[in-house]
DNA sequence: CGTATGGTTGAGGTAATTCAACCTGTGTGG
DNA sequence: CCACACAGGTTGAATTACCTCAACCATACG
């Protein structure tokens, strides 16, 4: 059942397609369709031909890489209004997997590409998004190199706190981690045990309070930022 | 002395502006100018207002981040035909510094932005480049996490070998490293000593031969790739 | 009640860092 | 021409931090 009703879309003002005029968007919407993925389901698999792309409207996705030994590394989290899909490569390069029940707005790449050609504003919106993703990826690189486990965990907590907050300028004080310990570990390039120990340490040092396994409350963001430096 | 002669430009077929028609490009060229930076000179500094952007025509740049302790992390190398400049942020986010004598083709961001608006092909070319940069950054993240020093050094050698080769499909066997040991270290998130030891080990194991401090000859790319896995 | 999944905690091993000394080539000044 | 300083690079010994392996705990679910 193709066709999408944008008027009820949660990300209608923030996704790339928000750059289109209502009638232009409506025309694009007729070419797309919604799809729901349960936690753990694969949205795109590395190596597949690149023939679709999508905007995430609800939920959470991960972009991840599996090395030859089967170890996974999460390269990026995709939040609602994020765009997924290879832009110019014939093959999908990384797996995209749902971390929570997620709804995506899917388009055939050919249709989307035509829309990009036809609507320069859409190309610019995607460019803006790609630039933002690039910045995020580089922030991750900066977080990774020569940094202690404590710094990485602190940095990730702060970034998740911002992602969990509705406001762009300050992060949420109390929120639920969107992922389990194992996923935190592959996101940080650490082991589950190390992450767990760091959480214990942060709680013991009074920077953090845990509410169950997923809930966290940041008690001293200043010191967290100092740690993450 | 503004104005650039694109007909003698080394990257006229590969840079983003190659997507423009000759007359369109000529119009853009009249708004830009060349600038040469010596090794160590800063092209853009983090925190500066974002008012210019540039295409690298010759040489090598690094994009790097300095943390509070002054430790540097190289986030990316920029090779000729690469584009540098913040696309949509009012502030420059990372330092851009010349690693070798470099020539860049500089534009006021306002002029370039106008060109993007006017020429959709330019926006698409930049989008393509941003997507490529994003992929490179994510490859770096994949290389970083939970990987041994040997794997990182091997991975970097292979990637530098490809960058040094004129052909896109296979890397150079013998080439000069574009950076010194310290820069290799900050590129990899390791210490100078560790990088040095890894080079020694690779040579001892017959994967590599060193010619002076910068020259390297890859003797067994298959095993290097295996190491980097 | 038993099992599975996710999480925490502990002991021991290992790889990279730190600190330090030493080497090598280059340029400078006596 | 030699002495010297200096920067970049290598090598060694000791330390540290994370990983590995293993046991144990908590919660959810059939």
């Amino acid at each position: 059942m193709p066709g999408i009703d944008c008027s009820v879309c949660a990300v209608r003002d923030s996704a790339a397609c928000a750059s289109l005029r209502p009638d232009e968007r409506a025309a694009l919407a007729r070419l797309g369709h919604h799809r729901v993925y349960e936690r753990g389901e694969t949205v795109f698999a590395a190596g597949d031909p690149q023939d679709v792309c999508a905007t995430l409207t609800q939920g959470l996705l991960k972009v991840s890489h599996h090395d030859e030994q089967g170890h996974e590394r999460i390269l990026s989290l995709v939040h609602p209004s994020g765009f997924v899909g290879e832009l110019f490569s014939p093959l999908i390069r990384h797996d995209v997997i749902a971390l929570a029940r997620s709804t995506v707005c899917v388009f055939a790449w050919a249709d989307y590409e035509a829309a990009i050609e036809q609507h320069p504003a859409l190309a610019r919106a995607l460019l803006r998004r790609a630039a933002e993703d690039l910045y995020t990826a580089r922030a991750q690189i900066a977080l990774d190199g020569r940094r202690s486990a404590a710094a990485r965990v602190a940095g990730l907590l702060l970034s998740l706190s911002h992602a969990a907050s509705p406001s762009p300028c300050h992060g949420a004080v109390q929120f639920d981690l969107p992922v389990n310990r194992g996923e935190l570990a592959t996101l940080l390039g650490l082991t589950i045990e190390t992450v767990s120990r760091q959480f214990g340490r942060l709680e013991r040092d009074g920077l953090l309070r845990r509410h169950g396994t997923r809930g966290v409350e940041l008690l001293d963001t200043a010191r967290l930022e100092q740690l993450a430096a």
Side-chain angles (χ1 to χ4, degrees), chain A:
Chain A
M1 185 204 82
I4 295 168
D5 180 5
C6 296
S7 68
V8 298
C9 175
V11 298
R12 67 178 172 284
D13 295 325
S14 49
C17 47
S19 63
L20 298 176
R21 290 201 318 269
D23 58 319
E24 293 171 341
R25 166 189 275 184
L28 181 60
R30 275 192 289 280
L31 302 173
H33 64 274
H34 272 157
R35 177 120 153 57
V36 175
Y37 292 90
E38 299 300 327
R39 171 174 172 83
E41 280 194 279
T42 297
V43 180
F44 299 142
D48 281 2
Q50 173 269 19
D51 48 8
V52 293
C53 61
T55 292
L56 179 65
T57 58
Q58 288 175 48
L60 185 70
L61 309 177
K62 65 177 172 186
V63 177
S64 64
H65 170 85
H66 292 84
D67 64 19
E68 280 72 6
Q69 286 89 54
H71 290 304
E72 178 188 18
R73 176 77 209 251
I74 298 182
L75 301 172
S76 162
L77 296 180
V78 181
H79 296 278
S81 89
F83 178 89
V84 286
E86 264 346 296
L87 249 20
F88 295 100
S89 157
L91 255 44
I92 300 282
R93 308 208 231 206
H94 301 298
D95 296 312
V96 177
I97 297 170
L99 284 175
R101 181 169 231 268
S102 299
T103 342
V104 296
C105 190
V106 184
F107 298 91
W109 171 243
D111 289 340
Y112 211 81
E113 197 173 26
I116 291 175
E117 301 261 345
Q118 201 179 339
H119 308 297
L122 185 58
R124 266 178 280 133
L126 280 181
L127 181 55
R128 176 171 220 135
R129 194 158 281 285
E132 210 51 52
D133 286 352
L134 181 57
Y135 176 70
T136 306
R138 288 185 172 167
Q140 178 79 34
I141 295 174
L143 195 66
D144 274 15
R146 79 181 278 89
R147 271 194 162 66
S148 67
R152 295 196 206 186
V153 171
L156 185 62
L157 278 171
L158 290 169
S159 116
L160 290 176
S161 136
H162 276 94
S165 161
S167 155
C169 48
H170 56 79
V173 171
Q174 183 167 357
F175 59 98
D176 279 351
L177 299 171
V179 293
N180 63 24
R181 290 290 182 277
E183 284 155 346
L184 284 180
T186 61
L187 202 41
L188 291 167
L190 298 171
T191 58
I192 294 182
E193 296 94 323
T194 300
V195 172
S196 178
R197 276 185 257 267
Q198 291 302 327
F199 270 81
R201 203 166 173 341
L202 286 173
E203 188 161 42
R204 191 158 46 71
D205 293 352
L207 305 205
L208 182 80
R209 187 174 299 146
R210 280 181 280 187
H211 299 285
T213 60
R214 291 290 185 96
V216 289
E217 187 180 350
L218 308 185
L219 301 175
D220 192 339
T221 40
R223 269 167 72 202
L224 274 178
E225 269 158 24
Q226 199 178 318
L227 258 185

